């Protein structure tokens, strides 16, 4: 099964190295060129972000910024996909034009 490498680095960046956690997101069972497969991937990334982003603060701030962290987790998860799979995923996220 294909699994993304650890997303600990992104949490360290987002949390200012407060407490590194790790998440692994499997994607090998998904067809990321389809909207349905990309939706499942997005749900897995969202679940990982929920776990990793509790109480996270934006670097240089004392204010909780869960949205910033969730965005960073998502960007890192997509970045770690192999190049052709990133393209398939990106194309599946485009709106359908009739």
């Amino acid at each position: 099964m294909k699994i993304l490498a650890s997303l600990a680095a992104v949490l360290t960046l987002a949390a200012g190295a407060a407490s590194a956690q790790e998440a692994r997101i499997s994607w090998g069972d998904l067809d990321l060129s389809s909207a349905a497969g990309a939706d499942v991937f997005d749900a897995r990334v969202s679940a990982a972000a929920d776990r990793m982003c509790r109480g996270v603060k934006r670097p240089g701030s004392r204010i909780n910024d869960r949205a910033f962290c969730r965005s960073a987790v998502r960007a890192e998860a997509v970045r770690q996909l192999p190049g052709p799979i990133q393209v398939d995923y990106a194309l599946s996220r485009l709106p359908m034009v009739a």
Side-chain angles (χ1 to χ4, degrees), residues 9-23:
V10 73
L11 182 64
T12 300
L13 167 73
S19 63
Q21 296 179 26
E22 183 174 296

Side-chain angles (χ1 to χ4, degrees), residues 66-86:
R66 191 171 185 166
F68 170 79
C69 177
R70 290 177 58 81
S71 176
V73 168
R74 183 183 180 289
E76 180 65 10
V78 172
R79 187 194 68 75
Q80 289 189 25
L81 291 170
I85 304 299
Q86 285 182 24

